[in-house]
Amino acid sequence: MLGLGDVNIPRILPVGAILLELLFLLLAIPIEAYVLNQRLKFDKKTSIFYAISINLFSSTVGWIIFFILEPILPIGLKAELISYVFFHNFISPTTQSLMIFTAFIIFFITFFMKFIFLRIFVISLKEDVLKIYEKTPENNRLKWRRNSIVRLQSTNLVTTILIANSLSYSAISIVILLIRK
């Protein structure tokens, strides 16, 4: 009909997981926008734009990675995953330690993705600054100063994304703990 070939559409839609992801995004975006506004001195509109962009892109990439990895999981882990997604509990008590380890891995992968996406957005939206630098004559002192500023901005960007990601993950963890009780 749509030219999708032999695509199987699931009969059960995990509405709870979809709504929970939406809640996490609605929780993370304002927290990260506030941190971007305070630490990087973006105006509110720009910081909200960057927060929405990096969260939506990293969430989309995360779901794509999940859907790629899910078919190759062992049957036991698939059963645990389905049990957690649909019923919010684990079959085996040893799965919680694996879940905590996986959460740490996901945190750092998300941090790295958000940093890369924010870096790409900042660079791609500042094209005029690069053109100005290309037209000015180069001297060693100016080149050293520009490289110092870029290194400082990069370090500031890393710490800002780390703080923003940590705060949003902390808020999401609190929500998950409140849901479980």
Side-chain angles (χ1 to χ4, degrees):
M1 181 167 108
L2 294 174
L4 296 176
D6 191 23
V7 175
N8 294 329
I9 297 175
R11 295 176 191 255
I12 299 174
L13 189 65
V15 176
I18 294 170
L19 291 176
L20 205 57
E21 177 70 23
L22 183 64
L23 174 69
F24 293 161
L25 286 173
L26 289 175
L27 191 62
I29 289 170
I31 291 171
E32 292 182 13
Y34 178 77
V35 172
L36 291 175
N37 183 346
Q38 293 297 312
R39 301 248 330 153
L40 296 178
K41 305 298 183 207
F42 291 141
D43 61 337
K44 289 182 181 183
K45 188 176 180 181
T46 305
S47 61
I48 290 171
F49 170 75
Y50 284 148
I52 289 171
S53 300
I54 63 175
N55 277 292
L56 287 179
F57 278 106
S58 64
S59 179
T60 303
V61 170
W63 279 107
I64 289 171
I65 291 171
F66 170 76
F67 286 127
I68 289 172
L69 292 179
E70 190 269 333
I72 60 175
L73 288 176
I75 299 295
L77 284 177
K78 280 186 183 182
E80 291 286 343
L81 185 64
I82 290 171
S83 173
Y84 185 75
V85 168
F86 287 112
F87 306 116
H88 295 291
N89 61 5
F90 297 109
I91 298 170
S92 171
T94 60
T95 307
Q96 287 183 345
S97 60
L98 179 65
M99 187 71 153
I100 291 171
F101 178 70
T102 306
F104 278 115
I105 291 172
I106 290 171
F107 172 80
F108 286 111
I109 290 172
T110 306
F111 161 70
F112 182 70
M113 281 192 300
K114 285 181 180 180
F115 171 70
I116 295 297
F117 284 133
L118 186 60
R119 184 88 175 172
I120 290 170
F121 293 145
V122 167
I123 289 172
S124 67
L125 295 176
K126 299 285 184 186
E127 289 181 16
D128 297 336
V129 175
L130 294 175
K131 289 178 184 174
I132 291 171
Y133 282 135
E134 289 174 357
K135 292 179 183 176
T136 58
E138 289 290 323
N139 65 20
N140 289 335
R141 190 171 184 183
L142 180 63
K143 187 185 282 187
W144 178 81
R145 187 177 211 183
R146 190 169 354 129
N147 289 339
S148 301
I149 291 171
V150 167
R151 266 188 262 122
L152 180 64
Q153 287 174 348
S154 179
T155 305
N156 197 15
L157 200 64
V158 169
T159 55
T160 301
I161 292 296
L162 184 62
I163 290 169
N165 202 29
S166 299
L167 288 174
S168 64
Y169 265 72
S170 298
I172 289 170
S173 297
I174 289 170
V175 168
I176 289 174
L177 288 175
L178 290 176
I179 289 173
R180 295 222 4 117
K181 292 194 180 213

